[in-house]
Amino acid sequence: MTLLWIKALHVFFMVAWMSGLFYLPRLMVYHAQSDIQAVKDQFKIMEKRLWYFVTPFAVLTLVFGVWLISLYGKDWFVAAKWLHIKLTLVTALYAYHGYLFVLVRKFAKDENAHSSRFYRFLNEAPVLVVFIIIVLAIVKYL
């Protein structure tokens, strides 16, 4: 029963984290399009608050994920090749999360160097990664 609760919490925090990661670059799209300083200042606040709001979800996703792996055991971990691919992709999402923080800081200093088109791509790129992670976790192929 504990395993199912840990898995449920892992999935919940992952969904909450991904919601923020999908929304933050969308804010950046609008921020990059704006020429009005008052609007830009409002986006700065929203971006910073959202990043700090979703970061604990990223940490809790990791905590419950590691806990799950420990519950399943070393032999399972070694044999689960799909999990190694998933963890590589998850590592990329954590790097993406960190990169968003870099961008939030650049926006805060009014040092944005990218177009709204760049942020549109940035907003859509992780969707495929998350799809592959979910397929790997459910189908457990490989």
Side-chain angles (χ1 to χ4, degrees), residues 13-21 24 47-63 93-94 96-102 104:
F13 288 118
M14 182 275 301
V15 169
W17 177 37
M18 289 303 107
S19 297
L21 288 190
L24 184 55
E47 291 158 355
K48 181 180 176 184
R49 286 182 180 170
L50 181 59
W51 193 88
Y52 281 106
F53 179 74
V54 300
T55 297
F57 298 144
V59 172
L60 289 167
T61 299
L62 180 64
V63 166
L93 285 177
Y94 279 97
Y96 175 79
H97 184 100
Y99 181 60
L100 290 179
F101 180 67
V102 170
V104 166

Side-chain angles (χ1 to χ4, degrees), residues 3-19 57 60-65 68 86 130 133-134 137-138 140:
L3 179 78
L4 294 177
W5 278 105
I6 302 306
K7 192 180 289 189
L9 289 169
H10 175 66
V11 170
F12 171 78
F13 288 118
M14 182 275 301
V15 169
W17 177 37
M18 289 303 107
S19 297
F57 298 144
L60 289 167
T61 299
L62 180 64
V63 166
F64 287 107
L68 275 174
K86 176 191 171 194
V130 172
I133 288 171
I134 290 170
I138 299 210
K140 295 176 180 28

Side-chain angles (χ1 to χ4, degrees), residues 43-109:
F43 278 121
K44 290 176 192 179
I45 293 167
M46 293 169 69
E47 291 158 355
K48 181 180 176 184
R49 286 182 180 170
L50 181 59
W51 193 88
Y52 281 106
F53 179 74
V54 300
T55 297
F57 298 144
V59 172
L60 289 167
T61 299
L62 180 64
V63 166
F64 287 107
V66 169
W67 193 352
L68 275 174
I69 290 169
S70 71
L71 289 174
Y72 277 105
K74 182 181 177 185
D75 291 338
W76 173 82
F77 178 76
V78 171
K81 301 300 180 204
W82 65 269
L83 181 61
H84 301 159
I85 297 167
K86 176 191 171 194
L87 291 176
T88 300
L89 294 172
V90 167
T91 300
L93 285 177
Y94 279 97
Y96 175 79
H97 184 100
Y99 181 60
L100 290 179
F101 180 67
V102 170
L103 294 173
V104 166
R105 292 188 64 182
K106 286 185 185 237
F107 269 118
K109 297 176 188 175

Side-chain angles (χ1 to χ4, degrees), residues 120-131:
R120 285 183 198 281
F121 173 76
L122 197 65
N123 180 229
E124 296 163 3
V127 172
L128 181 59
V129 175
V130 172
F131 174 73

